[in-house]
Amino acid sequence: MIHLLDQTPDQLQAWLAGHGVPGYRARQVWQWVYARGADDFDQMTDLPGVVRQRLAADFQIWSTRVAAHRKADDGAEKLLLELADGQRIECVLLRDDRGHCTICVSTQVGCAMGCAFCASGLDGLIRNLSTGEILEQMLRLRQCLADGERISHVVVMGMGEPLANLDALLPALAMASRPDGLGIGARRITISTVGLPAGIRRLAGLNLQYHLAVSLHAADDPLRDRLVPANRKTGIAAVLAAADEYFEQTGRRVTFEYVLLKDVNDGPAHARALAALLRGRPALVNLIPFNPVAELPFRSPLSPDVMRFAETLREAGIAVKLRYRKGDEIDAACGQLRRLTSPY
Ligand code: SAH
């Protein structure tokens, strides 16, 4: 079976033409799936029965099974999806008090980057996700929405390193942002990267309007080497140079994510070093208090230290956003649900 969501509209049109079906039928199928949320060919009532049967014989709309669906009191919902080969991935829907519905999707099963504080990389990389598997997370999360809600933002911040799987991610995001796809404008889509300079440059060269977030976590190389092993090959300077290029090409301000780890990178000197590093750049710093992971020795920062850290950056003229934790009780962060042997 072919995963329908892995097909571009042109590919589907070619398949239909090969079966003697006029090309405009492809558009109808696409409308059913993306605009109307159909999950069965039988629902596509304006297609002739014989076309529906042909499609159902060769294509499947879903390639995953929902292995767990958790809801938190703060409106966060998390899906654990089992892929066709039995691997499991996570994706999350986050609601805020402004009525925004942000979905967070994964790009890989596991992750090769091995960040010291992250659950996703604990077992290394298992495999890349396909375009269809990335899109399916978005469509499945959309099914969680109530009447009147719509997906307002997409963040590619789930499991995996998006820039290590750009070939599958880019067509998925293109489909997400097309008006006849999910209709989520590129400016409301954020790609978060550990900071792979070559990948950032490739993305910059495409001159798309995606928002880029770079996971910095430290302002000096020895500390970053420890927390983000991928840094050993690149160094901070090369990551920042690529981020600068992204801004020059696209005009989009880059966000720098900084996970605060108690007594590791959350002190006043760390804040001053970060301020010095980013001074003069049109940067936004997203401070993320560490979300505890059972197997890992790190601790969450104390509130006053978080406030002081933010204040130091603000005093240096740097824009700061504090990410409040959401969905704690459903293990919404970073590959944690997948690690539980029994998801219920
Ligand atoms: N690989 C990409 C995207 C996935 S991680 C990246 O590195 O950006 C998304 C964000 O969550 C990153 O900033 C990552 O460092 C952060 N993160 C990972 N584990 C975390 C944890 N336990 N607590 C808080 N943030 C975490």
Side-chain angles (χ1 to χ4, degrees):
M1 294 286 259
I2 308 168
H3 190 194
L4 183 73
L5 304 177
D6 262 329
Q7 302 288 297
T8 63
D10 289 347
Q11 283 171 321
L12 182 64
Q13 194 161 329
W15 184 93
L16 289 168
H19 289 73
V21 180
Y24 70 89
R25 297 284 185 202
R27 207 167 51 241
Q28 281 175 298
V29 173
W30 242 248
Q31 267 167 4
W32 275 107
V33 172
Y34 286 98
R36 301 161 89 164
D39 55 11
D40 193 317
F41 290 108
D42 278 342
Q43 295 164 1
M44 305 182 183
T45 44
D46 53 3
L47 291 177
V50 51
V51 175
R52 277 186 264 158
Q53 279 163 17
R54 279 259 169 83
L55 285 165
D58 277 24
F59 292 97
Q60 57 187 137
I61 299 179
W62 297 135
S63 71
T64 73
R65 181 181 76 82
V66 179
H69 181 178
R70 293 186 173 191
K71 297 180 192 183
D73 292 342
D74 62 10
E77 296 190 41
K78 181 167 199 165
L79 298 177
L80 180 68
L81 298 180
E82 187 170 299
L83 308 174
D85 60 0
Q87 294 294 341
R88 292 173 158 202
I89 55 164
E90 303 171 15
C91 53
V92 187
L93 164 66
L94 300 161
R95 296 177 165 98
D96 72 11
D97 43 19
R98 288 178 295 171
H100 290 160
C101 294
T102 298
I103 60 170
C104 175
V105 297
S106 297
T107 52
Q108 298 180 314
V109 183
C111 183
M113 298 300 127
C115 296
F117 48 84
C118 177
S120 297
L122 286 174
D123 301 323
L125 173 68
I126 296 172
R127 69 167 174 87
N128 280 333
L129 295 183
S130 67
T131 297
E133 287 167 335
I134 297 170
L135 276 167
E136 185 159 333
Q137 296 170 65
M138 302 186 199
L139 290 172
R140 291 244 187 228
L141 287 166
R142 190 176 64 173
Q143 290 189 319
C144 299
L145 297 178
D147 279 351
E149 284 186 324
R150 60 187 312 276
I151 300 172
S152 57
H153 296 84
V154 177
V155 295
V156 187
M157 288 189 189
M159 286 177 9
E161 169 48 42
L163 298 192
N165 189 18
L166 264 181
D167 289 340
L169 177 63
L170 288 172
L173 294 185
M175 209 54 211
S177 58
R178 281 169 70 129
D180 59 351
L182 287 169
I184 304 157
R187 301 179 70 90
R188 291 185 282 130
I189 296 176
T190 299
I191 302 176
S192 175
T193 175
V194 73
L196 303 178
I200 294 174
R201 289 216 172 77
R202 180 175 161 201
L203 200 56
L206 299 173
N207 201 14
L208 300 165
Q209 282 295 293
Y210 300 130
H211 181 178
L212 181 72
V214 175
S215 294
L216 200 55
H217 310 320
D220 64 81
D221 278 323
L223 182 56
R224 193 165 194 268
D225 285 349
R226 226 176 90 205
L227 298 177
V228 183
N231 192 62
R232 293 172 198 157
K233 284 194 201 132
T234 59
I236 291 174
V239 175
L240 290 183
D244 290 344
E245 194 174 316
Y246 192 85
F247 174 72
E248 280 154 27
Q249 281 282 327
T250 63
R252 301 235 48 204
R253 179 172 75 168
V254 174
T255 293
F256 292 95
E257 294 160 283
Y258 193 103
V259 172
L260 288 162
L261 306 161
K262 186 170 185 300
D263 300 332
V264 174
N265 67 352
D266 67 341
H270 298 115
R272 286 195 298 272
L274 183 62
L277 188 69
L278 298 181
R279 193 167 286 134
R281 289 192 158 85
L284 170 72
V285 173
N286 193 351
L287 292 178
I288 313 166
F290 172 64
N291 202 335
V293 177
E295 295 95 323
L296 298 175
F298 299 101
R299 282 170 299 160
S300 302
L302 301 176
S303 242
D305 292 334
V306 175
M307 296 307 156
R308 193 185 320 131
F309 201 101
E311 211 30 57
T312 303
L313 293 174
R314 288 197 181 109
E315 279 164 10
I318 292 166
V320 181
K321 209 169 75 185
L322 250 177
R323 189 188 295 171
Y324 296 101
R325 282 156 61 167
K326 278 188 186 285
D328 274 10
E329 72 265 42
I330 55 168
D331 292 320
C334 318
Q336 295 184 51
L337 181 56
R338 170 176 158 266
R339 300 193 63 75
L340 302 175
T341 35
S342 162
Y344 291 102

